[in-house]
């Protein structure tokens, strides 16, 4: 029974892995995401990797990809930006995703009419992996989100 449960648990986790990561590492998947987003929205968008990109635990890669997708969706929906930059930084102990735009920004402390569901989900994704999520924004000054997650290495397949 334990063996069957373990096989089923592994299958469930594998099914939750985003398709974008099936044949690519996180850096490649983010590069493709940013290029596609730029083409779809006609805005200037750049992607930069800082440090040596290393394979990470599948849950870390999936969480950072989902955070980037949500952040870019927010830029498209709310920011009225002309450009966005996505940076993936690998350091000794953490991997850090930054998404910055030059859009309209907002006061994070002010009550909003629209739901901040996306921001909450991004925060929860980072915190679930003992990471941090920060948001910086000001009216007419753009928005920056940053997720820092321990760089857990990819285990054996």
């Amino acid at each position: 029974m334990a063996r069957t449960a373990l096989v089923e648990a592994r299958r469930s986790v594998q099914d939750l892995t985003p398709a974008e990561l099936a044949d690519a590492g996180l850096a490649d998947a983010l590069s493709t995401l940013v290029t596609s987003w730029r083409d779809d929205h006609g805005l200037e968008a750049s992607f930069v990797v800082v440090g040596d990109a290393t394979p990470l635990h599948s849950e870390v890669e999936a969480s950072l990809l989902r955070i980037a997708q949500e952040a870019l969706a927010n830029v498209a929906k709310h920011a009225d930006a002309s450009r966005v930059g996505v940076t993936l930084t690998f350091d000794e102990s953490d991997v850090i995703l930054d998404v910055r735009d030059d859009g309209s920004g907002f006061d994070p402390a002010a009550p909003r009419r629209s739901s901040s569901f996306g921001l909450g989900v991004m925060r929860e994704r980072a915190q679930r992996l003992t990471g941090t999520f920060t948001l910086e924004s000001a009216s007419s000054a753009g928005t920056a989100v940053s997720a820092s997650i321990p760089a857990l290495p990819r285990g054996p397949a």
Side-chain angles (χ1 to χ4, degrees):
M1 266 183 12
R3 187 173 318 168
T4 301
L6 181 59
V7 167
E8 184 62 24
R10 284 184 179 150
R11 186 193 63 73
S12 295
V13 169
Q14 289 171 345
D15 287 346
L16 295 176
T17 301
E20 298 89 343
L21 293 170
D23 297 320
L26 179 60
D28 290 336
L30 286 172
S31 178
T32 300
L33 171 66
V34 171
T35 299
S36 175
W37 188 91
R38 180 187 64 219
D39 294 346
D40 290 347
H41 295 90
L43 299 175
E44 182 181 333
S46 63
F47 174 65
V48 175
V49 176
V50 177
D52 294 326
T54 58
L56 299 168
H57 188 280
S58 61
E59 193 170 346
V60 171
E61 290 189 350
S63 293
L64 288 169
L65 178 64
R66 294 295 190 218
I67 290 168
Q69 290 170 326
E70 183 64 34
L72 289 171
N74 283 350
V75 171
K77 188 174 182 180
H78 303 292
D80 193 29
S82 62
R83 67 180 181 203
V84 62
V86 178
T87 304
L88 183 64
T89 304
F90 291 85
D91 71 18
E92 290 182 23
S93 59
D94 296 313
V95 60
I96 303 150
L97 173 73
D98 295 300
V99 180
R100 300 178 184 277
D101 69 65
D102 68 349
S104 57
F106 63 96
D107 178 358
R112 290 185 293 283
R113 286 180 284 158
S114 66
S115 168
S116 60
F117 179 74
L119 293 172
V121 168
M122 287 188 275
R123 178 172 277 108
E124 288 172 9
R125 285 184 189 279
Q127 290 175 343
R128 186 179 73 237
L129 296 171
T130 67
T132 59
F133 178 82
T134 56
L135 166 70
E136 297 174 12
S137 188
S139 294
S140 301
T143 300
V145 297
S146 180
S148 177
I149 297 177
L152 302 172
R154 181 173 293 159

